[in-house]
Amino acid sequence: DDLYDSLPEASEEEEDMLDLAFALTDTSRLGCQVVVTEDMDGRTIGMPGATRNFYVDGHVPKPH
């Protein structure tokens, strides 16, 4: 919890993506949004046993 609390607050976009995540917890964050630094050395970070990957699951992106 202290490591989670030390991270910058999740953006609204990240929160929206987390709503789609597998095995979401109160301290879940998107891995691509966490910058790993030396002060995190020795910390244990849990990863879900599965993921939801829309590209693998047949998602077809639409141009903006």
Side-chain angles (χ1 to χ4, degrees):
D1 286 340
D2 60 326
L3 178 57
Y4 175 83
D5 291 339
S6 72
L7 298 173
E9 190 171 321
S11 68
E12 188 172 328
E13 288 177 325
E14 182 180 359
E15 293 286 347
D16 290 343
M17 292 297 293
L18 284 168
D19 288 340
L20 305 172
F22 178 82
L24 189 68
T25 70
D26 290 340
T27 58
S28 292
R29 294 295 302 267
L30 296 179
C32 61
Q33 297 300 307
V34 177
V35 178
V36 179
T37 60
E38 285 187 31
D39 61 316
M40 294 178 186
D41 186 34
R43 302 290 185 108
T44 301
I45 298 173
M47 302 291 286
T51 63
R52 185 169 289 156
N53 184 330
F54 292 113
Y55 290 98
V56 171
D57 295 339
H59 171 74
V60 177
K62 295 179 183 175
H64 297 7

